Structures are given as structure tokens and as C-alpha cells.
Amino acid sequence: MACPIPSKKGDIGLIGLAVMGQNLILNMADNGITVVAFNRTVEKLRNFLANEAKGKSILGAETIPELVSKLKSPRRIMMLVKAGSAVDNFITQLLPHLEQGDIIIDGGNSEYQDTQRRTKSLQENGIRFVGAGVSGGEEGARYGPSLMPGGNKEAWPYIKDIFQKIAAKADGEPCCDWVGNDGAGHFVKMVHNGIEYGDMQLIGEVYHLMQALGISQDQMAETFQEWNCGELDSFLIDITKDILRYKDKDGQYLLPKIRDTAGQKGTGKWTAIAALNYGVPVTLIGEAVFSRCLSALKDERQKASKVLPGPTAKFSGDTKKFLEEIRQALYASKIVSYAQGFMLLREAAGVHNWKLDYGAIALMWRGGCIIRSVFLAQIKNAFDSDKNLRSLLLAPFFLTAITKAQTGWRNVVATAATLGVPTPALSTALAFYDGYRTERLPANLLQAQRDYFGAHTYELLGQEGTFVHTNWTGTGGNVSASTYDA
């Protein structure tokens, strides 16, 4: 039997009562927002209303028509369901019951191309669609997430107050603002998640290096705690020290008991694919994704460990000094990771005509989300100071920081190679930095090779824009392939 319809109407409807959905509803209710909750499984809805939602400004709806009927106009309905076909299925169910001007919000981790498609399609039906990135996990959803809405901007005035009330706050400012048209919000969230992959991989490599130094897990935790009091102050550094200290029921550390195979839900992979599609060298996130793939080859790695030789060297230097160099390497690599992420944002913005405010994006990430850190305040300052900044590496603050860290960073990468400790993210960050600062790269040889075997042509210095072909062998003739413009 359906719930009776009360006289009071809801400010917003929310579809999906998994962990994120339930906590976001409770967050809204705490902020004076009346929410109408719906879940495909009615029993789950009833349990939620009878327990967590009891006594709060939360209504229930057991059918889609009932959900729509309980909402103020224009109706605002947010979905927190699995990305992909589930989103399209709910949109199809909602459409017959909605009116022109109503708003559908997808708060899941949808691919930005799907959000572009849905925004356009629903606009043709008079429905305003929003694709909103939501970051912060269970705790963020409950007490203040980072929210990155994009899509049909006509919807923003009707959801702005709700979103900014429930968002995390940094220096009193909500970690939520309008991002841009169609898929911009979900694209920014995708890059956020890619940076998250990179940050986690970097910390993992640092943990591996600490193991190679032979220091205790308690010493590792102390080191991360010290780092969290300085320029590396961040959510991920903070939780890492907690994880290192956590002991199982038997009194032993839990971390060494966990199987070393990392899972992933796809957003890091999407970031790497987008980087390839847009031709942006987001190498660190790519390595972070591949490192998770390598970790999944557990059985192969176990067999290989017994037959593939490695160095026998042991660390014999000053442990305290080397730990400081590791900190420098982590900080410098983190700068590179964010620089690459914002390069990707800039390129995509140019392609899709998104008017992204990079300083505002950094502010959105300063609270509530997984990559929140004091570091982001400097990113905001950098873009606020120079709206045309091409790379964070060129901003005065980060140029100074990476210059100070460079010597230690290089020593860490070199020492890791000597010890046989894999540091793909730390290493690729350094390789990118060296490539970015190099005026003359060996790509001229690549172009000559391509022209030699495929007549793909090349440009001469001082004659950019004019493509020429050389008959390198004397037998290739003067016919060239189509010009190369990537």
C-alpha cells in the first residue's frame, strides 16, 4: 500500500537509498530541506523511514507518480544510482509525469559524454538536466560533500540554495558552484577522481619506500602525522597515518594482512582515456591506473618473484635525511599531478566551450572531497592571480616549491631504482617535469622516422605550418601521406 500523501510538499526528491543517497538525504534534512525519498526496493525505503529518517523532514514515495506528486514546482529530482543504463531507465520512468521546467539531477559518477547527451535530449523535452559530481564518500555526503554541478544552467537558480547549504565549507565558502554547460560538472568530477588515483598511488609508493628503509609501521605513522602538519596537510595523508596505526583484534597491525590487489570503479581509467583523446600528457594518473592493473596480477607476480632477479642492494644512507627527501618527492610529484589535471581541464574546456573557473574548482575541492588539502588554496590563488595561467608549474608559488624539492626528488627516484622498489608515479612525474622544461625534445627524430617509413612529412624549424617530405632512400619518390597535425 502506498504512503498517504501529506499536505506538505517536498523541496527535492532523491532516488536511491544506498549509503550515499541515505546520507545525502539526512544532510538535507539537517539543513531544513524537506526531501521525498524513493527507492526501487520498497522494503528498503520503509526501513529507512522507520529508522534513520524517523522524526526528520523526510517523506517517502513508493512509486514514481507518488514521488512526483509530493514535490513543489518546479520539481527537483536527484538520482544517486549506478551510472549507465540505470540513470536512463529512471529518466524514462520520470518523463511521463514531469512538466516543462522540471529538473532532473544525476549525482552519480556518470561519464561526461552521457551527461552531454542527456542534457541535450531532455532540453528538447523541456526538462532541465544537471550532472553533478559528488565527492566525499559516506562522511562527506552526511556532513558536507564537494559538489560540482553542470548541465543546463537554467536549473542552477532552483538548486543553488539546496546544494550550497549541504556542501562542505572552506573558509566559510561553500565547496560548490556552477561548473559549466552539459558535461562540465561530471568532467571535473572525473578529473578529481583521476587526481585521487594519483595521490593514492604516490602515497602507496612512499609507503613501499619506507618499508625498504626498514623502519617500523609506527615510525611510518609518526612520519605521516608530521607531514600532515605542513604543506602536505590533506585528507589522504591524515587517513594514511590512521590506517598504519590500526591494529586487528589479535593486536597485530591490520595493513600487512590486506591482499595487495587494488580495485577500481573506472573514473581513473576514464581520465586516462580522456587525456589520450584530448592529447594531454596526464602521465601520472595513467601510471596510477596501470599500477592498479599490475596489482591485480597477484598470481603472476607471486610466480615472477621467485624467478626474476632484482638488485641486492640495501639502503645504507641517513634514514632521517632520506625521509625528508621522500617528503619532497611526494610534494613535487603532487604538484605535477595537479598541473596535469588542470591542463586536461583547460583542453576539454576549449573543445567544448566550457567557461571553467579554475580557481573556483580548486575551492570546490578544498573541503568535503577525498583530495581536500591545504595545497588547493595555493592552486586557487595561482589561478586567481593569473586567469590565463597555462600550467601550475609556471605559477610563482609552485615554481619555488618544486625548485626546492628537485634535488631530493631526483635522489629518491634514483635510489628507488637502485633498491628495486617500483615508483611509477614518482618517476613519471619527474620525467614529465624534465620533459616540460626541455626546449628541444628528440621528437624531431621521431618525425624523421615517420617520414622515412611512412612518408608522413615533417616541419622544418622556422617554417612551421609547411609540411615537407624527404626521399630518404632514393627510392621513395616525392609522394607523401596525409599531413600530421597532432
Side-chain angles (χ1 to χ4, degrees):
M1 179 179 176
C3 301
I5 300 175
S7 57
K8 183 177 182 180
K9 292 211 169 190
D11 300 306
I12 187 169
L14 196 141
I15 296 174
L17 291 179
V19 172
M20 289 291 287
Q22 289 195 23
N23 280 292
L24 205 62
I25 289 173
L26 295 172
N27 182 352
M28 290 177 179
D30 288 348
N31 281 280
I33 298 159
T34 301
V35 191
V36 183
F38 173 87
N39 194 72
R40 183 173 54 84
T41 307
V42 174
E43 190 61 32
K44 192 167 189 176
L45 170 66
R46 291 174 178 170
N47 287 337
F48 176 63
L49 294 173
N51 294 286
E52 294 89 350
K54 189 174 182 179
K56 297 182 180 292
S57 58
I58 300 170
L59 312 175
E62 296 187 1
T63 66
I64 292 294
E66 185 184 0
L67 168 67
V68 174
S69 72
K70 289 185 174 181
L71 293 171
K72 298 173 184 175
S73 185
R75 300 169 184 89
R76 294 163 286 195
I77 301 173
M78 186 170 186
M79 297 177 289
L80 277 169
V81 299
K82 187 177 180 181
S85 60
V87 177
D88 289 318
N89 289 340
F90 273 114
I91 290 173
T92 300
Q93 293 178 56
L94 286 166
L95 276 178
H97 308 285
L98 298 181
E99 299 174 350
Q100 286 206 354
D102 286 346
I103 298 161
I104 298 176
I105 306 160
D106 174 16
N109 272 330
S110 291
E111 291 194 69
Y112 74 96
Q113 298 99 324
D114 284 341
T115 305
Q116 290 177 310
R117 167 178 59 80
R118 290 165 184 149
T119 303
K120 182 179 179 182
S121 173
L122 287 168
Q123 187 167 359
E124 292 169 357
N125 286 280
I127 304 299
R128 296 177 278 208
F129 185 74
V130 174
V134 180
S135 179
E138 178 182 352
E139 183 181 355
R142 182 66 183 86
Y143 300 109
S146 169
L147 296 168
M148 296 152 260
N152 187 330
K153 194 172 184 179
E154 292 178 7
W156 182 230
Y158 299 97
I159 66 172
K160 179 179 179 179
D161 186 54
I162 293 175
F163 271 38
Q164 294 193 338
K165 275 184 179 179
I166 66 172
K169 307 297 185 294
D171 296 330
E173 294 293 320
C175 297
C176 170
D177 204 350
W178 186 254
V179 176
N181 295 334
D182 52 72
H186 273 139
F187 192 91
V188 168
K189 174 58 163 55
M190 178 194 74
V191 173
H192 161 284
N193 284 21
I195 292 172
E196 177 186 310
Y197 272 56
D199 274 1
M200 294 171 72
Q201 177 63 27
L202 288 168
I203 293 170
E205 291 175 16
V206 165
Y207 163 64
H208 201 172
L209 278 167
M210 288 179 174
Q211 289 179 308
L213 297 182
I215 65 175
S216 70
Q217 198 163 308
D218 190 56
Q219 287 176 294
M220 295 181 199
E222 288 294 327
T223 301
F224 276 102
Q225 182 168 329
E226 289 173 14
W227 291 354
N228 201 46
C229 295
E231 55 197 3
L232 283 173
D233 178 2
S234 67
F235 173 74
L236 286 170
I237 293 290
D238 190 37
I239 68 169
T240 298
K241 65 103 163 73
D242 291 341
I243 291 167
L244 286 162
R245 284 184 173 144
Y246 192 89
K247 291 184 178 180
D248 208 350
K249 294 176 182 178
D250 61 4
Q252 302 299 309
Y253 288 115
L254 177 60
L255 185 57
K257 300 179 183 180
I258 298 175
R259 183 176 169 86
D260 56 319
T261 54
Q264 53 183 313
K265 290 190 174 180
T267 46
K269 178 177 71 175
W270 295 348
T271 309
I273 291 171
L276 290 170
N277 287 337
Y278 291 105
V280 180
V282 185
T283 55
L284 197 150
I285 293 170
E287 285 292 350
V289 173
F290 285 130
S291 292
R292 293 196 186 192
C293 296
L294 181 60
S295 79
L297 303 177
K298 178 66 174 178
D299 293 341
E300 291 183 45
R301 289 189 290 113
Q302 285 179 320
K303 292 174 183 176
S305 69
K306 294 176 174 59
V307 296
L308 294 180
T312 58
K314 303 292 183 183
F315 182 78
S316 59
D318 183 328
T319 300
K320 185 176 180 181
K321 179 175 180 291
F322 192 63
L323 282 173
E324 170 56 20
E325 290 180 331
I326 291 175
R327 186 196 66 79
Q328 293 171 354
L330 176 57
Y331 187 49
S333 298
K334 188 179 175 80
I335 292 171
V336 168
S337 181
Y338 283 73
Q340 291 181 352
F342 277 93
M343 286 170 68
L344 179 57
L345 289 176
R346 182 178 292 280
E347 183 64 25
V351 171
H352 298 290
N353 197 31
W354 294 332
K355 307 300 182 185
L356 300 184
D357 184 332
Y358 304 105
I361 290 170
L363 174 61
M364 287 181 227
W365 292 349
R366 282 191 60 200
C369 68
I370 304 303
I371 63 172
R372 61 185 182 267
S373 68
V374 295
F375 179 93
L376 286 155
Q378 296 299 337
I379 294 180
K380 183 180 188 304
N381 292 341
F383 283 112
D384 286 351
S385 297
D386 183 358
K387 299 294 185 184
N388 298 313
L389 183 65
R390 298 302 303 175
S391 171
L392 284 174
L393 297 177
L394 303 177
F397 176 87
F398 293 107
L399 175 59
T400 300
I402 215 162
T403 300
K404 289 180 179 177
Q406 185 179 162
T407 301
W409 186 15
R410 294 184 185 282
N411 188 46
V412 167
V413 171
T415 302
T418 301
L419 297 175
V421 176
T423 55
L426 291 167
S427 300
T428 198
L430 181 58
F432 173 85
Y433 172 76
D434 282 336
Y436 193 71
R437 69 174 186 82
T438 300
E439 183 180 359
R440 289 275 291 169
L441 290 170
N444 55 333
L445 177 57
L446 299 182
Q447 285 297 80
Q449 290 171 330
R450 295 180 73 255
D451 190 55
Y452 188 111
F453 65 68
H456 292 294
T457 73
Y458 55 86
E459 298 169 281
L460 289 168
L461 290 171
Q463 298 179 34
E464 287 78 5
T466 300
F467 292 84
V468 297
H469 165 58
T470 292
N471 181 4
W472 299 90
T473 64
T475 59
N478 295 315
V479 178
S480 64
S482 57
T483 56
Y484 172 71
D485 58 3

